[in-house]
C-alpha cells in the first residue's frame, strides 16, 4: 500500500535520475580530479643509492639525489607535473647555515632534475628547521626566534635554490615579511621568473608529526606556536594570505588540508588567486595505517579526500599520494 502511494507521486525533481548510471554521474560531476594539479613532495638526503623508507609514512622514502631523480622521472611518467623538495642534511648547526649551501642535497637535486627531467616543475621548501641543530625554523636569541635576522637568512636560502634552477621557492617558515624579502633578493639577482609559492596559512598542527620523523626536524624544546597559526583561527588566515599576496606570492598554500577545508574555500573565494592545499604527512599516515589494517578501501578513500580538497577550492594539491593517485585515476 505504502509502495503504491509512493509510485504515484508526481515529483518535479528527482535527483536520483542524475545518479542512475556512471555515464550520467560523470556528465554532471562538478569536480574533476586530474593529476595536473598534483605536487609530489620528496625528501632528499646526502649520499648515493640511498632509498630509506620513513617508518611512519609507508611508501615515502628519504632519497639521495640520484634516487630522487629516478623517483621524480617516474612520477612524471605517471602524470604528476611537479615535485616539492625537502633537504635532509648530514650536518646541522645553530644557524642552519647548510640550508644555503650550493652543494647541499636540495641544490644538487634541483640541478640534476633540471638536467634530466627538464619539463618537471621543481619547487623547493624554504625553511631552516631541517638544518638547525635545535630544530627551530629560525635563528634563536635564547629560546625565541628572531624574525628579521631569520628572514634575511631565508632570502639567501631561496636565492641559492633559484641559482640552482628552481621554478618556485616555497617558504614554509611563517616569519613575518619573508615573501617580500625573498622577492627582493630574487629580483636583485635577475630571477624575476622564479615564482613564490608561499605557505601563507600554515597552522600549528599535530598532523606534521610523521614529517618531522622523515625530515628529522622536530624542535628540541618548545613548539612552533610563536609563528605557526592557531587552528582555531580563520580571519587571521585571510590576513596572512592577503599579506603574502601583497608581498608578491604567486601561489598561496593552506596547510594542512582536510581539517582546514573551510579555510581553503574562504581563501579561494575571497582572493580568487592560485591556491594550493597541502595534504600533510599525518593525513597520509592516517590513510595508510587504516588501509594497512584493512579498515578502509584505500583507493576510494584517497580519491575521496583529494576530490574534497579540490572541491573546497584548491587548484593545486600537494600530496604524498600524488604518484599513487595519478595511477588510480
Ligand atoms: C618545514 C615544514 C614542515 C612541513 C612542511 N614544511 C614541518 C613543520 O612545520 O614542522 C610539514 C609537511 C608535512 O607534514 O607533510 N617547516
Amino acid at each position: 500500500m505504502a509502495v503504491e502511494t509512493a509510485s504515484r507521486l508526481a515529483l518535479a525533481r528527482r535527483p536520483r535520475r542524475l545518479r542512475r548510471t556512471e555515464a550520467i554521474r560523470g556528465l554532471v560531476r562538478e569536480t574533476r580530479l586530474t593529476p595536473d594539479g598534483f605536487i609530489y613532495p620528496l625528501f632528499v638526503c646526502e649520499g648515493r643509492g640511498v632509498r630509506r623508507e620513513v617508518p611512519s609514512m609507508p611508501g615515502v622514502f628519504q632519497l639521495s639525489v640520484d634516487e630522487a631523480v629516478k623517483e621524480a622521472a617516474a612520477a612524471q611518467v605517471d602524470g604528476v607535473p611537479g615535485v616539492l623538495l625537502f633537504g635532509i642534511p648530514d650536518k646541522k648547526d645553530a644557524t642552519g647555515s647548510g640550508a644555503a649551501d650550493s652543494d647541499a642535497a636540495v641544490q644538487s637535486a634541483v640541478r640534476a632534475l633540471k638536467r634530466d627531467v627538464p619539463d618537471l616543475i621543481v619547487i623547493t621548501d624554504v625553511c631552516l628547521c631541517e638544518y638547525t641543530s635545535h630544530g627551530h625554523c629560525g635563528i634563536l636569541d635564547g629560546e625565541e626566534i628572531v624574525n628579521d635576522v631569520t628572514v634575511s637568512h631565508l632570502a639567501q636560502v631561496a636565492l641559492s635554490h633559484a641559482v640552482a634552477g628552481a621554478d618556485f621557492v616555497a617558504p614554509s617558515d611563517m616569519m613575518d615579511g619573508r615573501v617580500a624579502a625573498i622577492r627582493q633578493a630574487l629580483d636583485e639577482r635577475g630571477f624575476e621568473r622564479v615564482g613564490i609559492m608561499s605557505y601563507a596559512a600554515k597552522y600549528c598542527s599535530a598532523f606534521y608529526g610523521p614529517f618531522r620523523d622523515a625530515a628529522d626536524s622536530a624542535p628540541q624544546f618548545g613548539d612552533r606556536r610563536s609563528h605557526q597559526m592557531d587552528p582555531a583561527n580563520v580571519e587571521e588566515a585571510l590576513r596572512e594570505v592577503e599579506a603574502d599576496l601583497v608581498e608578491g606570492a604567486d601561489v598561496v598554500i593552506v596547510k594542512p588540508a582536510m581539517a582546514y577545508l573551510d579555510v581553503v574555500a574562504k581563501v579561494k573565494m575571497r582572493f580568487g588567486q592560485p591556491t594550493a592545499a597541502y595534504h600533510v604527512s599525518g593525513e597520509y599516515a592516517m590513510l595508510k595505517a587504516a588501509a594497512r589494517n584493512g579498515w578502509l578501501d584505500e583507493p576510494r578513500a584517497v580519491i575521496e579526500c583529494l576530490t574534497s580538497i579540490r572541491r573546497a577550492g584548491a587548484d593545486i594539491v600537494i600530496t604524498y599520494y600524488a604518484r599513487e593517485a595519478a595511477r588510480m585515476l
Side-chain angles (χ1 to χ4, degrees), residues 24-44:
I24 297 173
R25 290 191 290 273
L27 198 64
V28 298
R29 188 159 292 134
E30 299 172 39
T31 306
R32 295 179 196 276
L33 188 67
T34 55
D36 39 277
F38 292 168
I39 298 291
Y40 187 37
L42 295 177
F43 297 102
V44 190

Side-chain angles (χ1 to χ4, degrees), residues 95-111:
T95 59
S97 61
D101 183 346
S102 62
D103 291 322
V106 163
Q107 289 83 348
S108 307
V110 172
R111 284 191 298 271

Side-chain angles (χ1 to χ4, degrees), residues 175-190:
M175 295 298 116
D176 297 330
R178 85 274 203 227
V179 173
I182 290 173
R183 188 68 272 160
Q184 190 184 343
L186 294 177
D187 290 357
E188 276 170 8
R189 290 282 304 274

Side-chain angles (χ1 to χ4, degrees), residues 1 119 204 206 215 227 236-237 243 264:
M1 184 53 193
D119 298 333
C204 190
H227 50 293
E236 186 187 7
V264 173

Side-chain angles (χ1 to χ4, degrees), residues 41 124 142 149 227 250 279 282 299:
T124 54
V149 178
H227 50 293
D250 301 283
H279 186 240

Side-chain angles (χ1 to χ4, degrees), residues 2-24:
V3 171
E4 240 172 75
T5 314
S7 69
R8 269 189 251 110
L9 285 176
L11 284 180
R13 264 171 229 228
R14 285 187 184 272
R16 291 183 56 198
R17 277 186 207 118
L18 298 181
R19 301 180 196 135
R20 201 164 53 81
T21 70
E22 182 45 33
I24 297 173

Side-chain angles (χ1 to χ4, degrees), residues 42-46 61-65 68 85-89 105-106 109:
L42 295 177
F43 297 102
V44 190
C45 63
E46 316 276 338
F61 299 82
Q62 295 181 344
L63 304 165
S64 52
V65 172
L85 305 182
F86 293 94
I88 304 164
V106 163

Side-chain angles (χ1 to χ4, degrees), residues 95 128 137-141 144-157 173-182 184-185 226-227 247:
T95 59
L128 299 184
C137 304
I139 316 276
L140 298 181
D141 179 10
E144 215 167 285
I145 302 176
V146 189
N147 194 87
D148 298 7
V149 178
T150 300
V151 164
S152 48
H153 203 93
L154 290 167
Q156 293 314 304
V157 175
D173 51 285
M174 288 296 277
M175 295 298 116
D176 297 330
R178 85 274 203 227
V179 173
I182 290 173
Q184 190 184 343
S226 81
H227 50 293
E247 290 179 34

